[in-house]
Amino acid sequence: MNTEKEINRLTGLILGSVSPFHCILTASRFLEQEGFTRLDLTGAWDLKPAKGYYLPVFDSSLIAFTTGDAPVSQAYVPTLRMEAAHTDWPCLKLKPSPEVSTSRYGKLNVEVYGSPILSTWMDRPLSLAGKVCAAGQTPFSPKVHLVDVKRPVAVIPNLAIHMNREVNNGAALNPQKDMLPILTLLEDKTDNDHCLVNLLARETGCAPEDILDYDLCLYNLDSCSTLGLEGEFFCAPRIDNLTSVSACLAGIVSGFRQNGVNVIALYDNEEIGSRTKQGAFSAVTDRVLEKLYLSLGYSREQYLNAVMDGFLLSMDVAHAMHPNHTEKCDIKNQILPGDGVAIKMAAAQSYATDASCISVIEDICRRSQIPCKKFSNRSDIKGGATLGAISSALLSMRTVDVGVPILAMHSARETMGTKDQAALVALASEFFLV
């Protein structure tokens, strides 16, 4: 396991993935460099043995797969193994017509996406990224531009302690009042009416009147840092869940199984429940997998057999024990940064938990000497959920939830152990090889 290599790979992905759209763009470029061929959801697929393919799904999700090199046989159907992660993170998204002003401050009207720790977004250099749509040849084919301003253009200033003496006692932040970032100083209040559209026009090269709509988020422009006396920690924005995206991408290029199909699914909208056309709760994965098997020459019945005999490794981060709040952890099943892969377990099935399935992952780790540890939340503290339980229910597939343990989950900047990324990548690779 090469810790430095995997941290460098993760750093590149984080810096390139300033929105879910850019995450998919970065992933697509990586897969093309590795020899994968792009497919379209609606096109005909002429699949070849021992090849890699990928298809973006509605701009912010992606499915990629490799085919085995065994000939098509009615007696044997290639086994299905799948890994999944999500491409989104808690953040602040722009509302329609977002320009607002207070005195001469030009501000942006934003709404909260997911469940971020709001206080961590204060006083940070913020930039804008996402998708901008402009008029195209027909109403059903708008021109899509990915935008990354790449420089600090906004900040959400804290109220000085002299004006809020309770700030260190956990003062609440109102998303509509306290979280509006300042973008500019106005000479005149009316100067703010088209401030954003003019910025987007410059970034896209479009005429302002041709811009129809956008999906834009603010992102933390802070860079990534390795820290600690021995470089044992890695601190960066968007660790949740780009650690898992990076592991999925590393896993899918690690090799082919002769009699198997390997698949990765990178989903958007996990942080808001996955109930979108590009989320894990949609039917898109089932339809893509069916099309894959039919294109290889297998019947629908053979496809259904492959799915129900398949195995999904759902990857998302876990809660590392906090150094100043050890009481927030389970009394026994704790994990720290540097302990390796967390195997996430919950009786409520918020994490996909099944003894037979977990045994498979434990044995892979044991045989390959990949550090891992079982994790569960305190019985009186409800943890988060993942896309694993959702996907396993929709696909009727054996599933296990794993991930790297991190501190400050959903902060604008999170912390993990450097060695854990290499462990997760090793598991993602071995899972597709054994």
Side-chain angles (χ1 to χ4, degrees), residues 207-434:
E209 60 270 18
D210 287 339
I211 294 176
L212 300 172
D213 205 358
Y214 55 79
D215 187 343
L216 296 169
C217 65
L218 289 163
Y219 72 90
N220 179 10
L221 207 60
D222 287 344
S223 191
C224 307
S225 302
T226 300
L227 52 92
L229 288 179
E230 304 296 332
E232 57 264 62
F233 299 111
F234 179 72
C235 186
R238 305 180 287 282
I239 283 177
D240 177 7
N241 186 33
L242 293 180
T243 54
S244 302
V245 172
S246 186
C248 284
L249 291 170
I252 197 68
V253 302
S254 62
F256 299 88
R257 289 185 299 125
Q258 182 179 10
N259 294 309
V261 171
N262 293 338
V263 180
I264 64 169
L266 310 178
Y267 296 112
D268 194 6
N269 302 134
E270 189 273 345
E271 297 291 357
I272 55 170
S274 298
R275 293 175 179 268
T276 62
K277 65 185 183 303
Q278 61 272 3
F281 207 95
S282 77
V284 68
T285 306
D286 176 57
R287 290 168 181 169
V288 167
L289 292 178
E290 181 178 1
K291 188 171 182 177
L292 191 170
Y293 272 81
L294 293 179
S295 298
L296 288 173
Y298 295 97
S299 68
R300 176 168 170 77
E301 181 181 10
Q302 288 174 311
Y303 157 66
L304 293 174
N305 290 341
V307 168
M308 288 185 280
D309 189 44
F311 204 112
L312 168 63
L313 192 62
S314 168
M315 292 192 278
D316 202 349
V317 295
H319 292 289
M321 175 188 282
H322 195 284
N324 302 326
H325 294 280
T326 58
E327 76 282 358
K328 295 294 184 179
C329 290
D330 182 64
I331 58 175
K332 185 80 178 285
N333 300 293
Q334 309 153 351
I335 190 164
L336 273 69
D339 281 349
V341 177
I343 301 175
K344 302 162 66 175
M345 304 176 68
Q349 294 295 318
S350 50
Y351 310 136
T353 300
D354 179 283
S356 297
C357 301
I358 288 172
S359 297
V360 171
I361 302 305
E362 281 190 288
D363 202 21
I364 291 175
C365 290
R366 180 179 60 84
R367 292 169 186 263
S368 301
Q369 297 183 314
I370 300 169
C372 67
K373 197 169 184 181
K374 291 178 181 176
F375 164 84
S376 61
N377 291 294
R378 272 183 65 112
S379 300
D380 56 355
I381 296 180
K382 184 180 179 180
T386 70
L387 54 83
I390 293 171
S391 296
S392 66
L394 288 173
L395 295 172
S396 302
M397 186 184 295
R398 294 172 294 169
T399 302
V400 173
D401 270 300
V402 302
V404 299
I406 73 169
L407 296 166
M409 189 185 297
H410 288 197
S411 170
R413 191 173 179 87
E414 300 158 323
T415 300
M416 62 178 286
T418 50
K419 293 180 180 179
D420 297 333
Q421 186 63 21
L424 187 66
V425 169
L427 174 57
S429 300
E430 286 299 317
F431 177 78
F432 277 150
L433 291 173
V434 296

